[in-house]
Amino acid sequence: QDQLVESGGGSVQAGGSLRLSCVASGSTIRSDCMGWFRQSPTKEREGVASVDQSGYTRRADFVEGRFTISRDVAKNTLYLQMNSLKPEDTAMYYCAALRAGCSRGGILTPSPYTIWGQGTQVTVSS
């Protein structure tokens, strides 16, 4: 059974950094389109960054170069390095996978993704 498990969230002060991990089990991520999403109590789920099956990436405009998505196929793991965190980055962060693959850079909208993790909470204080 395909499963995604996120970790690495926590509480940090503004300007700090966190590295989120998402370990996939059940099948290899080699051919997957994958993404990181976030959701806060007052907002809908939004795309943060994505990576396609060839390793090309895409980031949301609000990331402003602060976040980097990467993957390690050998470890079947997706990462999100987050630097210069702001209070408005506070949210539950989810990773997601789409087995069918996707166009260059991946997809930043939630709807095509079929496999989701449980999420990891990120809290940034000012």
Side-chain angles (χ1 to χ4, degrees), residues 30-88:
R30 184 180 303 277
S31 301
D32 290 351
C33 181
M34 299 192 74
W36 285 100
F37 295 81
R38 70 185 189 184
Q39 187 168 17
S40 63
T42 58
K43 290 185 178 181
E44 294 185 351
R45 191 167 296 190
E46 60 182 354
V48 176
S50 60
V51 57
D52 67 23
Q53 58 276 14
S54 299
Y56 292 103
T57 62
R58 178 180 300 185
R59 295 180 292 198
D61 290 342
F62 62 76
V63 168
E64 300 172 327
R66 300 179 295 126
F67 298 176
T68 302
I69 188 172
S70 63
R71 64 176 190 165
D72 186 331
V73 174
K75 294 183 179 180
N76 233 29
T77 301
L78 181 73
Y79 301 100
L80 184 68
Q81 177 66 44
M82 304 188 295
N83 299 326
S84 302
L85 283 161
K86 304 175 181 180
E88 51 263 44

Side-chain angles (χ1 to χ4, degrees), residues 1-6 21-29 32 34 75-78 94-99 114-119:
Q1 183 175 358
D2 296 334
Q3 189 175 14
L4 301 174
V5 178
E6 303 96 333
S21 299
C22 171
V23 179
S25 60
S27 62
T28 177
I29 65 172
D32 290 351
M34 299 192 74
K75 294 183 179 180
N76 233 29
T77 301
L78 181 73
Y94 301 89
C95 70
L98 174 61
R99 293 280 181 246
T114 56
I115 305 167
W116 290 85
Q118 298 281 16

